[in-house]
mmCIF file of all heavy atoms in Angstrom:
data_model
loop_
_atom_site.group_PDB
_atom_site.id
_atom_site.type_symbol
_atom_site.label_atom_id
_atom_site.label_comp_id
_atom_site.label_asym_id
_atom_site.label_seq_id
_atom_site.Cartn_x
_atom_site.Cartn_y
_atom_site.Cartn_z
ATOM 1 N N ARG A 26 87.297 91.985 95.876
ATOM 2 C CA ARG A 26 88.735 91.917 95.605
ATOM 3 C C ARG A 26 89.076 92.690 94.340
ATOM 4 O O ARG A 26 90.034 93.461 94.310
ATOM 5 C CB ARG A 26 89.197 90.465 95.473
ATOM 6 C CG ARG A 26 90.716 90.359 95.251
ATOM 7 C CD ARG A 26 91.162 88.961 95.016
ATOM 8 N NE ARG A 26 90.595 88.496 93.746
ATOM 9 C CZ ARG A 26 90.807 87.307 93.240
ATOM 10 N NH1 ARG A 26 91.542 86.433 93.894
ATOM 11 N NH2 ARG A 26 90.288 86.959 92.094
ATOM 12 N N ASP A 27 88.282 92.522 93.292
ATOM 13 C CA ASP A 27 88.529 93.241 92.043
ATOM 14 C C ASP A 27 88.382 94.751 92.230
ATOM 15 O O ASP A 27 89.165 95.534 91.693
ATOM 16 C CB ASP A 27 87.587 92.748 90.943
ATOM 17 C CG ASP A 27 87.919 91.334 90.477
ATOM 18 O OD1 ASP A 27 89.038 90.859 90.759
ATOM 19 O OD2 ASP A 27 87.041 90.717 89.844
ATOM 20 N N ARG A 28 87.374 95.157 93.010
ATOM 21 C CA ARG A 28 87.171 96.579 93.275
ATOM 22 C C ARG A 28 88.375 97.160 94.013
ATOM 23 O O ARG A 28 88.869 98.242 93.678
ATOM 24 C CB ARG A 28 85.902 96.783 94.107
ATOM 25 C CG ARG A 28 85.534 98.259 94.291
ATOM 26 C CD ARG A 28 84.490 98.461 95.368
ATOM 27 N NE ARG A 28 84.937 98.113 96.708
ATOM 28 C CZ ARG A 28 85.766 98.849 97.452
ATOM 29 N NH1 ARG A 28 86.275 99.954 96.983
ATOM 30 N NH2 ARG A 28 86.107 98.458 98.655
ATOM 31 N N ILE A 29 88.877 96.432 94.993
ATOM 32 C CA ILE A 29 90.026 96.903 95.773
ATOM 33 C C ILE A 29 91.273 96.961 94.896
ATOM 34 O O ILE A 29 92.060 97.913 94.991
ATOM 35 C CB ILE A 29 90.251 96.016 97.010
ATOM 36 C CG1 ILE A 29 89.078 96.193 97.978
ATOM 37 C CG2 ILE A 29 91.556 96.372 97.707
ATOM 38 C CD1 ILE A 29 89.041 95.173 99.093
ATOM 39 N N LYS A 30 91.464 95.974 94.032
ATOM 40 C CA LYS A 30 92.624 95.992 93.144
ATOM 41 C C LYS A 30 92.611 97.213 92.229
ATOM 42 O O LYS A 30 93.633 97.864 92.033
ATOM 43 C CB LYS A 30 92.678 94.711 92.300
ATOM 44 C CG LYS A 30 93.196 93.508 93.033
ATOM 45 C CD LYS A 30 93.276 92.324 92.094
ATOM 46 C CE LYS A 30 93.886 91.114 92.752
ATOM 47 N NZ LYS A 30 94.019 89.983 91.817
ATOM 48 N N LYS A 31 91.440 97.539 91.677
ATOM 49 C CA LYS A 31 91.329 98.718 90.810
ATOM 50 C C LYS A 31 91.590 99.994 91.604
ATOM 51 O O LYS A 31 92.273 100.906 91.134
ATOM 52 C CB LYS A 31 89.954 98.761 90.148
ATOM 53 C CG LYS A 31 89.783 97.729 89.069
ATOM 54 C CD LYS A 31 88.386 97.730 88.496
ATOM 55 C CE LYS A 31 88.231 96.576 87.508
ATOM 56 N NZ LYS A 31 86.858 96.375 87.096
ATOM 57 N N SER A 32 91.055 100.041 92.809
ATOM 58 C CA SER A 32 91.275 101.205 93.665
ATOM 59 C C SER A 32 92.754 101.337 94.025
ATOM 60 O O SER A 32 93.305 102.440 94.052
ATOM 61 C CB SER A 32 90.436 101.074 94.930
ATOM 62 O OG SER A 32 90.668 102.154 95.792
ATOM 63 N N LEU A 33 93.404 100.219 94.274
ATOM 64 C CA LEU A 33 94.824 100.216 94.596
ATOM 65 C C LEU A 33 95.649 100.719 93.415
ATOM 66 O O LEU A 33 96.593 101.501 93.586
ATOM 67 C CB LEU A 33 95.263 98.810 95.012
ATOM 68 C CG LEU A 33 96.665 98.634 95.550
ATOM 69 C CD1 LEU A 33 96.944 99.583 96.703
ATOM 70 C CD2 LEU A 33 96.867 97.188 95.999
ATOM 71 N N GLU A 34 95.283 100.315 92.207
ATOM 72 C CA GLU A 34 95.982 100.807 91.017
ATOM 73 C C GLU A 34 95.851 102.327 90.905
ATOM 74 O O GLU A 34 96.831 103.022 90.614
ATOM 75 C CB GLU A 34 95.432 100.138 89.760
ATOM 76 C CG GLU A 34 95.831 98.688 89.619
ATOM 77 C CD GLU A 34 95.149 97.994 88.446
ATOM 78 O OE1 GLU A 34 94.561 98.680 87.581
ATOM 79 O OE2 GLU A 34 95.211 96.754 88.395
ATOM 80 N N ARG A 35 94.654 102.850 91.141
ATOM 81 C CA ARG A 35 94.456 104.306 91.095
ATOM 82 C C ARG A 35 95.270 104.988 92.198
ATOM 83 O O ARG A 35 95.863 106.050 91.979
ATOM 84 C CB ARG A 35 92.974 104.646 91.239
ATOM 85 C CG ARG A 35 92.147 104.313 90.015
ATOM 86 C CD ARG A 35 90.722 104.867 90.113
ATOM 87 N NE ARG A 35 89.987 104.410 91.277
ATOM 88 C CZ ARG A 35 89.259 103.291 91.320
ATOM 89 N NH1 ARG A 35 89.152 102.512 90.259
ATOM 90 N NH2 ARG A 35 88.620 102.950 92.430
ATOM 91 N N SER A 36 95.312 104.377 93.352
ATOM 92 C CA SER A 36 96.065 104.950 94.471
ATOM 93 C C SER A 36 97.558 104.975 94.183
ATOM 94 O O SER A 36 98.249 105.917 94.564
ATOM 95 C CB SER A 36 95.797 104.164 95.755
ATOM 96 O OG SER A 36 94.453 104.307 96.147
ATOM 97 N N LEU A 37 98.055 103.940 93.530
ATOM 98 C CA LEU A 37 99.475 103.914 93.175
ATOM 99 C C LEU A 37 99.810 105.035 92.197
ATOM 100 O O LEU A 37 100.844 105.707 92.332
ATOM 101 C CB LEU A 37 99.851 102.552 92.585
ATOM 102 C CG LEU A 37 99.887 101.404 93.595
ATOM 103 C CD1 LEU A 37 99.956 100.060 92.875
ATOM 104 C CD2 LEU A 37 101.048 101.565 94.557
ATOM 105 N N THR A 38 98.942 105.254 91.230
ATOM 106 C CA THR A 38 99.152 106.343 90.272
ATOM 107 C C THR A 38 99.114 107.685 91.000
ATOM 108 O O THR A 38 99.957 108.553 90.771
ATOM 109 C CB THR A 38 98.078 106.310 89.165
ATOM 110 O OG1 THR A 38 98.193 105.075 88.470
ATOM 111 C CG2 THR A 38 98.236 107.456 88.194
ATOM 112 N N ARG A 39 98.130 107.853 91.891
ATOM 113 C CA ARG A 39 98.002 109.094 92.653
ATOM 114 C C ARG A 39 99.226 109.302 93.547
ATOM 115 O O ARG A 39 99.732 110.419 93.666
ATOM 116 C CB ARG A 39 96.721 109.055 93.485
ATOM 117 C CG ARG A 39 96.269 110.390 93.977
ATOM 118 C CD ARG A 39 94.859 110.412 94.555
ATOM 119 N NE ARG A 39 94.370 109.203 95.164
ATOM 120 C CZ ARG A 39 93.468 108.371 94.604
ATOM 121 N NH1 ARG A 39 92.964 108.629 93.432
ATOM 122 N NH2 ARG A 39 93.071 107.293 95.243
ATOM 123 N N SER A 40 99.747 108.234 94.132
ATOM 124 C CA SER A 40 100.927 108.339 94.978
ATOM 125 C C SER A 40 102.140 108.785 94.163
ATOM 126 O O SER A 40 102.925 109.627 94.607
ATOM 127 C CB SER A 40 101.225 107.004 95.663
ATOM 128 O OG SER A 40 102.386 107.107 96.447
ATOM 129 N N TYR A 41 102.272 108.227 92.969
ATOM 130 C CA TYR A 41 103.371 108.638 92.091
ATOM 131 C C TYR A 41 103.248 110.135 91.767
ATOM 132 O O TYR A 41 104.214 110.883 91.889
ATOM 133 C CB TYR A 41 103.364 107.822 90.796
ATOM 134 C CG TYR A 41 104.374 108.333 89.789
ATOM 135 C CD1 TYR A 41 105.713 107.979 89.884
ATOM 136 C CD2 TYR A 41 103.981 109.186 88.767
ATOM 137 C CE1 TYR A 41 106.645 108.462 88.984
ATOM 138 C CE2 TYR A 41 104.902 109.678 87.864
ATOM 139 C CZ TYR A 41 106.232 109.313 87.970
ATOM 140 O OH TYR A 41 107.143 109.816 87.079
ATOM 141 N N ASP A 42 102.048 110.552 91.381
ATOM 142 C CA ASP A 42 101.821 111.965 91.063
ATOM 143 C C ASP A 42 102.104 112.847 92.278
ATOM 144 O O ASP A 42 102.723 113.913 92.152
ATOM 145 C CB ASP A 42 100.383 112.194 90.585
ATOM 146 C CG ASP A 42 100.096 111.530 89.245
ATOM 147 O OD1 ASP A 42 101.049 111.173 88.520
ATOM 148 O OD2 ASP A 42 98.902 111.363 88.924
ATOM 149 N N ASN A 43 101.662 112.410 93.453
ATOM 150 C CA ASN A 43 101.926 113.169 94.677
ATOM 151 C C ASN A 43 103.420 113.225 94.983
ATOM 152 O O ASN A 43 103.921 114.235 95.467
ATOM 153 C CB ASN A 43 101.182 112.563 95.866
ATOM 154 C CG ASN A 43 99.696 112.821 95.816
ATOM 155 O OD1 ASN A 43 99.224 113.693 95.101
ATOM 156 N ND2 ASN A 43 98.938 112.041 96.570
#
Side-chain angles (χ1 to χ4, degrees):
R26 183 184 66 179
D27 290 343
R28 187 194 65 75
I29 293 168
K30 282 183 176 183
K31 287 176 186 170
S32 178
L33 187 54
E34 288 174 14
R35 288 189 303 272
S36 294
L37 288 167
T38 299
R39 197 168 29 255
S40 178
Y41 173 81
D42 293 343
N43 287 343

